[in-house]
Amino acid sequence: MKDLKKRLKKANKGFSLVELIIVIAIMAILAGVLAPQFIKHINNSKKSSDIQNAQMIYDALSSAISEQEAGTLSLPAGVTINTSNTETEFTGTLAAALNMGNAAPTVKVDKNYKFYYKINKTIVEVYAYKSNTDKYLLAPSVDATSGCPWSN
């Protein structure tokens, strides 16, 4: 009986090379299947974050325009809201004046874009803007044109 225990103990020294290779292969297959889903999830969260930031800018500007019409808007000296129906960059100075923090929100999907707004009378639009030909409406609703990085 003692000899059998010694042989079993001696034979069981750990995992064989084949067992380790099989485990590594299974882990590689799982990583290959899960990595694209993880990347897709990260991209979707960036899109959602950008759309939410654009909506916050939209709400703050709409509220400021309403206060301006009512005569109750008070902005710090040198800070104005451009209502001339042209795209204007949403800056940290304006964000601070509208109580949105000291820095302007950044676009997460593509760092080359910035948030811009356009106000025509009381109609506010917020864009992710890179150039005149490369801008996408994000608020009040996403303009899901072809090639829009924020469309689903």
Side-chain angles (χ1 to χ4, degrees):
M1 188 71 162
K2 285 184 181 179
D3 289 336
L4 181 61
K5 282 185 180 180
K6 281 185 182 180
R7 276 190 268 147
L8 288 174
K9 193 174 185 180
K10 207 177 205 183
N12 191 8
K13 288 188 176 183
F15 296 109
S16 71
L17 182 60
V18 172
E19 291 170 328
L20 289 174
I21 290 173
I22 290 171
V23 168
I24 291 171
I26 290 170
M27 290 173 62
I29 290 169
L30 287 173
V33 169
L34 296 178
Q37 294 301 320
F38 182 68
I39 291 169
K40 182 180 176 183
H41 177 68
I42 288 173
N43 289 337
N44 284 341
S45 68
K46 287 179 181 180
K47 289 177 190 179
S48 296
S49 175
D50 286 345
I51 292 168
Q52 183 178 12
N53 284 337
Q55 189 64 44
M56 285 180 10
I57 294 169
Y58 172 82
D59 291 341
L61 288 171
S62 295
S63 176
I65 295 300
S66 296
E67 290 176 20
Q68 189 174 29
E69 286 182 347
T72 60
L73 178 66
S74 62
L75 294 173
V79 178
T80 59
I81 298 173
N82 184 358
T83 58
S84 65
N85 198 27
T86 58
E87 285 95 6
T88 307
E89 183 176 353
F90 189 78
T91 62
T93 306
L94 185 54
L98 296 174
N99 298 320
M100 294 180 61
N102 293 330
T106 58
V107 177
K108 306 220 179 344
V109 168
D110 186 338
K111 297 294 182 193
N112 295 319
Y113 286 85
K114 293 184 178 184
F115 287 112
Y116 275 67
Y117 69 93
K118 181 169 76 169
I119 301 173
N120 183 10
K121 297 180 184 172
T122 58
I123 299 170
V124 179
E125 296 176 332
V126 179
Y127 295 90
Y129 187 96
K130 185 162 63 171
S131 66
N132 275 335
T133 58
D134 212 4
K135 63 182 177 182
Y136 299 100
L137 179 66
L138 297 183
S141 63
V142 178
D143 180 18
T145 56
S146 64
C148 176
W150 290 270
S151 62
N152 288 328

